């Protein structure tokens, strides 16, 4: 029997560190994480729709644009975290998704800029 892979959860610890879960993916924490990921993706979709509307013409003030940029940054961070979590789980099932050097999803997949939130 294969050991379960650590799942990156869609939330951080109180001090900002990433949280992981070791399970078979069927427990209550996994279900809560799935629900939160879906919520985060849905919020990103809604904010993108709002951004498209706001950016038509010259309707948006500087304050509105800064607020929009903050929201888009937060959503992008959340969706990137979901993608990393799901990618890691896919690689645990199919290690061929890594290239021969062990990089995630190809040459550039193993490099990451910025900090995890």
């Amino acid at each position: 029997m294969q050991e379960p892979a650590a799942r990156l959860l869609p939330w951080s610890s109180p001090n900002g560190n990433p949280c992981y879960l070791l399970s078979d993916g069927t427990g209550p924490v996994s279900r809560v994480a799935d629900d939160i990921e879906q919520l985060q993706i849905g919020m990103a979709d809604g904010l993108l729709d709002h951004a498209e509307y706001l950016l038509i013409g010259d309707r948006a003030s500087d304050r509105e644009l800064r607020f929009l940029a903050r929201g888009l940054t937060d959503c992008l961070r959340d969706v990137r975290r979901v993608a990393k979590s799901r990618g890691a789980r896919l690689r645990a099932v199919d290690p061929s998704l890594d290239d021969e050097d062990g990089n995630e999803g190809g040459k550039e997949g193993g490099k990451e800029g910025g900090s995890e939130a």
Side-chain angles (χ1 to χ4, degrees), residues 29-46:
V29 176
S30 291
R31 288 191 298 274
V32 169
D34 291 342
D35 290 346
I36 290 174
E37 286 179 352
Q38 286 305 115
L39 178 67
Q40 290 171 328
I41 291 169
M43 290 173 63
D45 285 340

Side-chain angles (χ1 to χ4, degrees), residues 6-69:
R7 175 184 180 171
L8 176 63
L9 295 172
W11 56 80
S12 299
S13 70
N15 60 355
N17 291 324
C19 293
Y20 294 90
L21 174 67
L22 289 174
S23 83
D24 64 0
T26 62
V29 176
S30 291
R31 288 191 298 274
V32 169
D34 291 342
D35 290 346
I36 290 174
E37 286 179 352
Q38 286 305 115
L39 178 67
Q40 290 171 328
I41 291 169
M43 290 173 63
D45 285 340
L47 189 56
L48 281 173
D49 291 343
H50 179 67
E52 288 175 350
Y53 172 79
L54 192 62
L55 295 173
I56 295 171
D58 292 331
R59 286 190 270 236
S61 69
D62 288 347
R63 185 176 182 187
E64 289 172 315
L65 291 174
R66 281 192 301 277
F67 186 77
L68 177 64

Side-chain angles (χ1 to χ4, degrees), residues 42-111:
M43 290 173 63
D45 285 340
L47 189 56
L48 281 173
D49 291 343
H50 179 67
E52 288 175 350
Y53 172 79
L54 192 62
L55 295 173
I56 295 171
D58 292 331
R59 286 190 270 236
S61 69
D62 288 347
R63 185 176 182 187
E64 289 172 315
L65 291 174
R66 281 192 301 277
F67 186 77
L68 177 64
R70 178 77 261 159
L72 289 169
T73 301
D74 291 342
C75 284
L76 182 58
R77 185 175 294 111
D78 289 343
V79 170
R80 180 184 69 175
R81 186 182 193 102
V82 170
K84 286 176 63 175
S85 177
R86 291 181 181 183
R89 285 182 278 154
L90 285 173
R91 282 187 300 282
V93 173
D94 185 359
S96 70
L97 295 172
D98 289 341
D99 70 9
E100 30 315 316
D101 296 325
N103 293 321
E104 298 173 359
K107 285 186 178 182
E108 297 300 318
K111 297 179 183 177

